[in-house]
Amino acid sequence: MWETNGKRGRKNMAAKTFAVIGMGRFGSSVAKTLYEMGYDVMAIDSNEERIQEHIQYVTYAVQADSTDEHALKELGIRNFDVVVVAIGEDIQASILTSLILKELGVKQIVVKAQNERHGKVLYKVGADRVVFPERDMGSRVANNLVSPGILDFIELAEDYSVAEIAATDRMVGKNLIELNIRAKFGVNVMAIKSGPEINIAPSAEDTINDGDILVVIGHNTDLKRMEEKTK
Ligand code: ATP
């Protein structure tokens, strides 16, 4: 069954299109965020109530069982640039759905995994990216509790991250030469956020103001050292 809120084609034809399968908390958040950013999003769920709840938040909301290859074909799933599989509990359905999407030739398949073993199988059946929202958010919260000065971070490789560090009193009024962050901590300042503005090519003479956020890249231990020593 197809439901639409009549707001199709919100972006130009060249924009990426997304389908999200499974409107649990995670899938729903992915779908709504993409739609709010102006992208066309098709939401798919086997549960009719979930579809009704999401009609106004997405471009199309469709009731379908994603383990039914024929149903996915009929929806033209392979025409979407990215398909997100956000079925968590039913691991078998998540794996089978990913396999079907791969066989149908979907360009990019992103799947939410319950645990490491589930993730391994997903990569084996052809997922391009596997995400572990609970694990990653748990790790972020734990890191933030230990290092409150690190507002957010993205792990790039096992030991390297990009982190957002709030400017401390010690930094305010100084420029990057005076702070000498690279030599002291082996950390590079990639950008400086000042309210809504972002300076993506900070020069050595740029001064840090109260309320600024430094976007830095480095080894996790160096980032932590920097957060502690600049308090
Ligand atoms: P979250 O933690 O994100 O809330 P979850 O990991 O608990 O979700 P589930 O509740 O198992 O995940 O599933 C999310 C949604 O996926 C549900 O709305 C469910 O109806 C839907 N779903 C489950 N199996 C299928 C399927 N085969 N086809 C389509 N939708 C499905």
Side-chain angles (χ1 to χ4, degrees):
M1 182 196 283
W2 282 69
E3 303 278 359
T4 177
N5 61 11
K7 291 184 199 158
R8 297 178 197 189
R10 303 162 76 225
K11 277 219 158 186
N12 63 49
M13 297 294 281
K16 269 192 177 177
T17 54
F18 298 88
V20 183
I21 301 173
M23 288 295 106
R25 288 159 299 178
F26 177 75
S28 167
S29 171
V30 172
K32 280 183 190 170
T33 307
L34 288 167
Y35 183 70
E36 277 163 16
M37 288 194 284
Y39 290 94
D40 273 329
V41 179
M42 177 192 273
I44 300 169
D45 201 294
S46 50
N47 181 325
E48 171 65 23
E49 266 174 44
R50 286 275 162 99
I51 288 306
Q52 292 301 332
E53 279 165 25
H54 286 84
I55 293 169
Q56 72 259 46
Y57 302 115
V58 293
T59 326
Y60 318 96
V62 186
Q63 186 196 2
D65 179 347
S66 62
T67 60
D68 176 353
E69 181 172 350
H70 181 69
L72 289 185
K73 245 190 210 165
E74 286 227 313
L75 292 174
I77 201 81
R78 64 177 304 233
N79 299 321
F80 288 86
D81 295 304
V82 184
V83 179
V84 180
V85 182
I87 301 169
E89 256 164 55
D90 188 346
I91 291 184
Q92 201 175 318
S94 149
I95 294 168
L96 188 53
T97 300
S98 307
L99 183 65
I100 294 170
L101 293 173
K102 188 71 186 175
E103 281 180 354
L104 290 177
V106 171
K107 291 180 227 78
Q108 203 187 345
I109 306 167
V110 179
V111 194
K112 166 186 144 151
Q114 285 282 67
N115 53 52
E116 302 286 339
R117 240 196 274 170
H118 182 195
K120 261 191 194 166
V121 178
L122 291 171
Y123 276 124
K124 282 261 188 258
V125 299
D128 298 286
R129 186 170 161 203
V130 176
V131 293
F132 302 85
E134 287 89 357
R135 183 198 70 182
D136 292 350
M137 194 39 110
S139 154
R140 279 184 175 201
V141 170
N143 273 286
N144 182 253
L145 292 173
V146 175
S147 310
I150 297 184
L151 305 176
D152 203 357
F153 75 93
I154 304 165
E155 211 158 275
L156 297 177
E158 200 165 317
D159 294 321
Y160 292 85
S161 303
V162 171
E164 287 192 349
I165 297 187
T168 58
D169 292 345
R170 283 192 184 196
M171 298 181 192
V172 172
K174 296 199 175 106
N175 65 28
L176 294 180
I177 302 179
E178 289 164 326
L179 288 173
N180 206 11
I181 288 171
R182 192 184 301 167
K184 274 193 198 156
F185 307 108
V187 163
N188 278 297
V189 179
M190 295 162 63
I192 301 171
K193 285 186 179 178
S194 307
E197 316 250 300
I198 177 156
N199 174 359
I200 55 159
S203 73
E205 289 80 28
D206 283 336
T207 304
I208 307 297
N209 296 306
D210 195 19
D212 281 359
I213 292 169
L214 278 68
V215 183
V216 294
I217 183 167
H219 193 281
N220 290 343
T221 44
D222 292 334
L223 292 170
K224 196 158 184 310
R225 206 156 51 87
M226 173 183 165
E227 191 259 345
E228 279 167 2
K229 300 270 186 220
T230 52
K231 262 182 204 159

